mmCIF file with all atom_site columns, all heavy atoms in Angstrom:
data_model
loop_
_atom_site.group_PDB
_atom_site.id
_atom_site.type_symbol
_atom_site.label_atom_id
_atom_site.label_alt_id
_atom_site.label_comp_id
_atom_site.label_asym_id
_atom_site.label_entity_id
_atom_site.label_seq_id
_atom_site.pdbx_PDB_ins_code
_atom_site.Cartn_x
_atom_site.Cartn_y
_atom_site.Cartn_z
_atom_site.occupancy
_atom_site.B_iso_or_equiv
_atom_site.pdbx_formal_charge
_atom_site.auth_seq_id
_atom_site.auth_comp_id
_atom_site.auth_asym_id
_atom_site.auth_atom_id
_atom_site.pdbx_PDB_model_num
ATOM   1   N N   . ASN A 1 9   ? 4.255  2.854  -5.741  1.00 0.00 ? 9   ASN A N   1
ATOM   2   C CA  . ASN A 1 9   ? 4.662  3.931  -4.841  1.00 0.00 ? 9   ASN A CA  1
ATOM   3   C C   . ASN A 1 9   ? 5.875  4.574  -5.446  1.00 0.00 ? 9   ASN A C   1
ATOM   4   O O   . ASN A 1 9   ? 6.986  4.074  -5.421  1.00 0.00 ? 9   ASN A O   1
ATOM   5   C CB  . ASN A 1 9   ? 5.013  3.297  -3.446  1.00 0.00 ? 9   ASN A CB  1
ATOM   6   C CG  . ASN A 1 9   ? 5.704  4.325  -2.491  1.00 0.00 ? 9   ASN A CG  1
ATOM   7   O OD1 . ASN A 1 9   ? 5.716  5.507  -2.782  1.00 0.00 ? 9   ASN A OD1 1
ATOM   8   N ND2 . ASN A 1 9   ? 6.302  3.784  -1.511  1.00 0.00 ? 9   ASN A ND2 1
ATOM   9   N N   . LYS A 1 11  ? 7.457  7.152  -4.618  1.00 0.00 ? 11  LYS A N   1
ATOM   10  C CA  . LYS A 1 11  ? 8.338  7.876  -3.702  1.00 0.00 ? 11  LYS A CA  1
ATOM   11  C C   . LYS A 1 11  ? 8.759  9.278  -4.259  1.00 0.00 ? 11  LYS A C   1
ATOM   12  O O   . LYS A 1 11  ? 7.791  9.844  -4.910  1.00 0.00 ? 11  LYS A O   1
ATOM   13  C CB  . LYS A 1 11  ? 9.637  6.939  -3.422  1.00 0.00 ? 11  LYS A CB  1
ATOM   14  C CG  . LYS A 1 11  ? 9.233  5.577  -2.974  1.00 0.00 ? 11  LYS A CG  1
ATOM   15  C CD  . LYS A 1 11  ? 10.367 4.790  -2.477  1.00 0.00 ? 11  LYS A CD  1
ATOM   16  C CE  . LYS A 1 11  ? 9.782  3.405  -2.104  1.00 0.00 ? 11  LYS A CE  1
ATOM   17  N NZ  . LYS A 1 11  ? 10.777 2.544  -1.457  1.00 0.00 ? 11  LYS A NZ  1
ATOM   18  N N   . HIS A 1 95  ? 4.557  4.076  5.900   1.00 0.00 ? 95  HIS A N   1
ATOM   19  C CA  . HIS A 1 95  ? 5.642  3.471  5.246   1.00 0.00 ? 95  HIS A CA  1
ATOM   20  C C   . HIS A 1 95  ? 6.885  3.539  6.044   1.00 0.00 ? 95  HIS A C   1
ATOM   21  O O   . HIS A 1 95  ? 7.199  4.409  6.759   1.00 0.00 ? 95  HIS A O   1
ATOM   22  C CB  . HIS A 1 95  ? 5.840  4.183  3.845   1.00 0.00 ? 95  HIS A CB  1
ATOM   23  C CG  . HIS A 1 95  ? 6.738  3.467  2.957   1.00 0.00 ? 95  HIS A CG  1
ATOM   24  N ND1 . HIS A 1 95  ? 8.128  3.488  3.126   1.00 0.00 ? 95  HIS A ND1 1
ATOM   25  C CD2 . HIS A 1 95  ? 6.541  2.619  1.844   1.00 0.00 ? 95  HIS A CD2 1
ATOM   26  C CE1 . HIS A 1 95  ? 8.744  2.792  2.188   1.00 0.00 ? 95  HIS A CE1 1
ATOM   27  N NE2 . HIS A 1 95  ? 7.743  2.196  1.396   1.00 0.00 ? 95  HIS A NE2 1
ATOM   28  N N   . GLU A 1 97  ? 9.875  4.189  5.363   1.00 0.00 ? 97  GLU A N   1
ATOM   29  C CA  . GLU A 1 97  ? 10.659 5.420  5.158   1.00 0.00 ? 97  GLU A CA  1
ATOM   30  C C   . GLU A 1 97  ? 10.097 6.596  5.952   1.00 0.00 ? 97  GLU A C   1
ATOM   31  O O   . GLU A 1 97  ? 10.899 7.425  6.479   1.00 0.00 ? 97  GLU A O   1
ATOM   32  C CB  . GLU A 1 97  ? 10.825 5.705  3.667   1.00 0.00 ? 97  GLU A CB  1
ATOM   33  C CG  . GLU A 1 97  ? 11.746 4.716  2.942   1.00 0.00 ? 97  GLU A CG  1
ATOM   34  C CD  . GLU A 1 97  ? 11.312 4.436  1.486   1.00 0.00 ? 97  GLU A CD  1
ATOM   35  O OE1 . GLU A 1 97  ? 10.632 5.245  0.856   1.00 0.00 ? 97  GLU A OE1 1
ATOM   36  O OE2 . GLU A 1 97  ? 11.888 3.468  1.037   1.00 0.00 ? 97  GLU A OE2 1
ATOM   37  N N   . GLU A 1 167 ? 5.779  -5.140 4.415   1.00 0.00 ? 167 GLU A N   1
ATOM   38  C CA  . GLU A 1 167 ? 7.014  -4.788 3.729   1.00 0.00 ? 167 GLU A CA  1
ATOM   39  C C   . GLU A 1 167 ? 8.218  -4.990 4.610   1.00 0.00 ? 167 GLU A C   1
ATOM   40  O O   . GLU A 1 167 ? 8.522  -4.063 5.451   1.00 0.00 ? 167 GLU A O   1
ATOM   41  C CB  . GLU A 1 167 ? 6.988  -3.302 3.283   1.00 0.00 ? 167 GLU A CB  1
ATOM   42  C CG  . GLU A 1 167 ? 5.777  -2.995 2.291   1.00 0.00 ? 167 GLU A CG  1
ATOM   43  C CD  . GLU A 1 167 ? 6.171  -1.745 1.465   1.00 0.00 ? 167 GLU A CD  1
ATOM   44  O OE1 . GLU A 1 167 ? 6.586  -0.723 2.021   1.00 0.00 ? 167 GLU A OE1 1
ATOM   45  O OE2 . GLU A 1 167 ? 6.062  -1.887 0.254   1.00 0.00 ? 167 GLU A OE2 1
ATOM   46  N N   . ALA A 1 171 ? 13.966 -5.767 2.573   1.00 0.00 ? 171 ALA A N   1
ATOM   47  C CA  . ALA A 1 171 ? 13.666 -6.115 1.146   1.00 0.00 ? 171 ALA A CA  1
ATOM   48  C C   . ALA A 1 171 ? 13.324 -4.846 0.310   1.00 0.00 ? 171 ALA A C   1
ATOM   49  O O   . ALA A 1 171 ? 13.144 -4.983 -0.875  1.00 0.00 ? 171 ALA A O   1
ATOM   50  C CB  . ALA A 1 171 ? 12.527 -7.148 1.085   1.00 0.00 ? 171 ALA A CB  1
ATOM   51  N N   . ILE A 1 172 ? 13.224 -3.724 0.911   1.00 0.00 ? 172 ILE A N   1
ATOM   52  C CA  . ILE A 1 172 ? 12.794 -2.520 0.218   1.00 0.00 ? 172 ILE A CA  1
ATOM   53  C C   . ILE A 1 172 ? 13.956 -1.874 -0.539  1.00 0.00 ? 172 ILE A C   1
ATOM   54  O O   . ILE A 1 172 ? 14.903 -1.491 0.135   1.00 0.00 ? 172 ILE A O   1
ATOM   55  C CB  . ILE A 1 172 ? 12.117 -1.470 1.160   1.00 0.00 ? 172 ILE A CB  1
ATOM   56  C CG1 . ILE A 1 172 ? 10.832 -2.106 1.743   1.00 0.00 ? 172 ILE A CG1 1
ATOM   57  C CG2 . ILE A 1 172 ? 11.870 -0.172 0.424   1.00 0.00 ? 172 ILE A CG2 1
ATOM   58  C CD1 . ILE A 1 172 ? 10.206 -1.225 2.741   1.00 0.00 ? 172 ILE A CD1 1
ATOM   59  N N   . GLY A 1 173 ? 13.857 -1.746 -1.817  1.00 0.00 ? 173 GLY A N   1
ATOM   60  C CA  . GLY A 1 173 ? 14.847 -1.111 -2.640  1.00 0.00 ? 173 GLY A CA  1
ATOM   61  C C   . GLY A 1 173 ? 16.183 -1.737 -2.664  1.00 0.00 ? 173 GLY A C   1
ATOM   62  O O   . GLY A 1 173 ? 17.201 -1.265 -3.111  1.00 0.00 ? 173 GLY A O   1
ATOM   63  N N   . GLY A 1 212 ? 8.406  -4.959 -1.377  1.00 0.00 ? 212 GLY A N   1
ATOM   64  C CA  . GLY A 1 212 ? 9.878  -5.105 -1.197  1.00 0.00 ? 212 GLY A CA  1
ATOM   65  C C   . GLY A 1 212 ? 10.416 -5.814 -2.368  1.00 0.00 ? 212 GLY A C   1
ATOM   66  O O   . GLY A 1 212 ? 10.293 -7.027 -2.544  1.00 0.00 ? 212 GLY A O   1
ATOM   67  N N   . SER A 1 213 ? 10.903 -4.973 -3.313  1.00 0.00 ? 213 SER A N   1
ATOM   68  C CA  . SER A 1 213 ? 11.587 -5.501 -4.539  1.00 0.00 ? 213 SER A CA  1
ATOM   69  C C   . SER A 1 213 ? 10.677 -6.364 -5.383  1.00 0.00 ? 213 SER A C   1
ATOM   70  O O   . SER A 1 213 ? 11.060 -7.335 -5.971  1.00 0.00 ? 213 SER A O   1
ATOM   71  C CB  . SER A 1 213 ? 12.934 -6.253 -4.209  1.00 0.00 ? 213 SER A CB  1
ATOM   72  O OG  . SER A 1 213 ? 13.789 -5.345 -3.548  1.00 0.00 ? 213 SER A OG  1
ATOM   73  N N   . VAL A 1 214 ? 9.365  -6.055 -5.442  1.00 0.00 ? 214 VAL A N   1
ATOM   74  C CA  . VAL A 1 214 ? 8.465  -6.777 -6.278  1.00 0.00 ? 214 VAL A CA  1
ATOM   75  C C   . VAL A 1 214 ? 8.718  -6.312 -7.744  1.00 0.00 ? 214 VAL A C   1
ATOM   76  O O   . VAL A 1 214 ? 8.887  -5.061 -7.937  1.00 0.00 ? 214 VAL A O   1
ATOM   77  C CB  . VAL A 1 214 ? 6.975  -6.510 -5.985  1.00 0.00 ? 214 VAL A CB  1
ATOM   78  C CG1 . VAL A 1 214 ? 6.052  -7.207 -6.937  1.00 0.00 ? 214 VAL A CG1 1
ATOM   79  C CG2 . VAL A 1 214 ? 6.676  -7.052 -4.562  1.00 0.00 ? 214 VAL A CG2 1
ATOM   80  N N   . LEU A 1 232 ? 2.692  -3.783 -3.121  1.00 0.00 ? 232 LEU A N   1
ATOM   81  C CA  . LEU A 1 232 ? 3.114  -2.404 -3.072  1.00 0.00 ? 232 LEU A CA  1
ATOM   82  C C   . LEU A 1 232 ? 4.443  -2.316 -3.636  1.00 0.00 ? 232 LEU A C   1
ATOM   83  O O   . LEU A 1 232 ? 5.376  -2.866 -3.092  1.00 0.00 ? 232 LEU A O   1
ATOM   84  C CB  . LEU A 1 232 ? 2.963  -1.834 -1.627  1.00 0.00 ? 232 LEU A CB  1
ATOM   85  C CG  . LEU A 1 232 ? 3.301  -0.364 -1.424  1.00 0.00 ? 232 LEU A CG  1
ATOM   86  C CD1 . LEU A 1 232 ? 2.348  0.421  -2.254  1.00 0.00 ? 232 LEU A CD1 1
ATOM   87  C CD2 . LEU A 1 232 ? 3.156  -0.036 0.070   1.00 0.00 ? 232 LEU A CD2 1
ATOM   88  N N   . VAL A 1 233 ? 4.561  -1.641 -4.798  1.00 0.00 ? 233 VAL A N   1
ATOM   89  C CA  . VAL A 1 233 ? 5.781  -1.715 -5.603  1.00 0.00 ? 233 VAL A CA  1
ATOM   90  C C   . VAL A 1 233 ? 6.418  -0.318 -5.681  1.00 0.00 ? 233 VAL A C   1
ATOM   91  O O   . VAL A 1 233 ? 5.821  0.629  -6.083  1.00 0.00 ? 233 VAL A O   1
ATOM   92  C CB  . VAL A 1 233 ? 5.397  -2.118 -6.999  1.00 0.00 ? 233 VAL A CB  1
ATOM   93  C CG1 . VAL A 1 233 ? 6.705  -2.461 -7.838  1.00 0.00 ? 233 VAL A CG1 1
ATOM   94  C CG2 . VAL A 1 233 ? 4.604  -3.433 -7.009  1.00 0.00 ? 233 VAL A CG2 1
ATOM   95  N N   . GLY A 1 234 ? 7.667  -0.241 -5.379  1.00 0.00 ? 234 GLY A N   1
ATOM   96  C CA  . GLY A 1 234 ? 8.445  0.994  -5.451  1.00 0.00 ? 234 GLY A CA  1
ATOM   97  C C   . GLY A 1 234 ? 9.157  1.066  -6.795  1.00 0.00 ? 234 GLY A C   1
ATOM   98  O O   . GLY A 1 234 ? 8.493  1.391  -7.812  1.00 0.00 ? 234 GLY A O   1
ATOM   99  N N   . GLY A 1 235 ? 10.396 0.761  -6.828  1.00 0.00 ? 235 GLY A N   1
ATOM   100 C CA  . GLY A 1 235 ? 11.257 0.935  -8.055  1.00 0.00 ? 235 GLY A CA  1
ATOM   101 C C   . GLY A 1 235 ? 10.635 0.435  -9.398  1.00 0.00 ? 235 GLY A C   1
ATOM   102 O O   . GLY A 1 235 ? 10.607 1.245  -10.317 1.00 0.00 ? 235 GLY A O   1
HETATM 103 P P1  . LIG B 2 .   ? 10.696 -1.433 -3.797  1.00 0.00 ? 1   LIG B P1  1
HETATM 104 O O1  . LIG B 2 .   ? 9.878  -0.503 -2.720  1.00 0.00 ? 1   LIG B O1  1
HETATM 105 O O2  . LIG B 2 .   ? 9.695  -2.098 -4.648  1.00 0.00 ? 1   LIG B O2  1
HETATM 106 O O3  . LIG B 2 .   ? 11.578 -0.431 -4.498  1.00 0.00 ? 1   LIG B O3  1
HETATM 107 O O4  . LIG B 2 .   ? 11.507 -2.364 -2.911  1.00 0.00 ? 1   LIG B O4  1
HETATM 108 C C1  . LIG B 2 .   ? 8.712  -0.965 -2.055  1.00 0.00 ? 1   LIG B C1  1
HETATM 109 C C2  . LIG B 2 .   ? 8.215  0.125  -1.212  1.00 0.00 ? 1   LIG B C2  1
HETATM 110 O O5  . LIG B 2 .   ? 8.967  0.790  -0.573  1.00 0.00 ? 1   LIG B O5  1
HETATM 111 O O6  . LIG B 2 .   ? 6.946  0.298  -1.036  1.00 0.00 ? 1   LIG B O6  1
#
Side-chain angles (χ1 to χ4, degrees):
N9 170 14
K11 308 191 180 184
H95 189 282
E97 287 151 16
E167 298 207 311
I172 296 177
S213 300
V214 176
L232 182 55
V233 189

